[in-house]
Amino acid sequence: MRKLLLCLPMMTLLLAACGPAGASREEQLALVIRGEYLEMSACAARMAVTADYGQRIYQFEMDAALEGEQATLTLTAPETVAGITATISGPEGRLEYGGVSVETGSMDPEGLSPVSAFPALMDAARSGYITACALEEEGGLLRVDCGDPEGAAGEGREISLWFDAAGHGLVRGEISVDGFRAILCEFSSFTME
């Protein structure tokens, strides 16, 4: 009986270490992180956003919160727009408060904008089609690339996410449109519930 009791925890550990057949260590970690993001009920982040339209670049800092399918974004910088808040519950997104609006324009046919970047990154973390994974040993980060499973590399919208390999918080996200990095989000804090 004693051998059986010792055997069960060891078998459980061995089975937990096994991922899908043939999956690399990076792919297994990406699937664990995806599971955590699918199970979370809410998250909060502080981030710097750079939107590159080619001819002009916009930079913002914002606090973001996601609860279910609803995202709340509050600009914290630059000072001229600090305090403007938006609630997004669909694909469209616009920051507006007291008649002041921040509209930078759409970056792709699906309506990508700096405002919709955070929800797009969260969608990719939860359900994006993973095209590649790599563990960046120097920074202790897991990079997960997501894209269209039927599209060619460098075409359409592609998202790259960098997670802290130990704590699994989102550290950085990039959204590219037709091979050009359109939006960069760098997270100074990220928590999930």
Side-chain angles (χ1 to χ4, degrees):
M1 181 70 167
R2 194 174 241 174
K3 286 183 181 181
L4 180 61
L5 290 176
L6 288 173
C7 185
L8 283 175
M10 293 301 286
M11 287 175 51
T12 304
L13 285 173
L14 287 172
L15 289 174
C18 296
S24 69
R25 184 177 96 194
E26 293 86 356
E27 292 168 334
Q28 289 177 13
L29 181 56
L31 292 175
V32 166
I33 292 172
R34 168 159 291 167
E36 292 172 2
Y37 279 68
L38 281 168
E39 289 178 6
M40 77 176 175
S41 58
C43 68
R46 174 161 282 179
M47 61 187 184
V49 179
T50 302
D52 188 343
Y53 285 81
Q55 297 296 322
R56 60 190 195 271
I57 295 175
Y58 295 98
Q59 293 182 314
F60 306 97
E61 291 180 18
M62 67 177 72
D63 291 332
L66 183 68
E67 190 164 343
E69 295 298 316
Q70 182 172 309
T72 303
L73 308 166
T74 303
L75 290 174
T76 57
E79 278 187 47
T80 54
V81 293
I84 295 177
T85 301
T87 302
I88 303 168
S89 56
E92 299 286 325
R94 184 175 175 160
L95 290 174
E96 191 169 341
Y97 178 76
V100 177
S101 175
V102 177
E103 180 59 48
T104 56
S106 179
M107 302 179 93
D108 72 0
E110 288 91 41
L112 176 67
S113 72
V115 175
S116 64
F118 182 68
L121 294 175
M122 292 298 97
D123 286 346
R126 290 175 165 172
S127 60
Y129 180 81
I130 297 174
T131 59
C133 300
L135 195 56
E136 297 178 356
E137 299 292 340
E138 270 185 37
L141 301 177
L142 175 71
R143 178 181 172 156
V144 177
D145 296 331
C146 299
D148 183 350
E150 297 175 8
E155 291 181 3
R157 186 187 294 185
E158 298 172 306
I159 297 178
S160 296
L161 305 164
W162 284 263
F163 299 96
D164 175 51
H168 303 170
L170 190 58
V171 174
R172 179 180 173 156
E174 291 182 0
I175 304 174
S176 297
V177 177
D178 295 329
F180 176 76
R181 185 180 76 192
I183 296 179
L184 166 64
C185 297
E186 297 177 293
F187 295 83
S188 56
S189 70
F190 187 91
T191 58
M192 53 184 173
E193 299 174 20

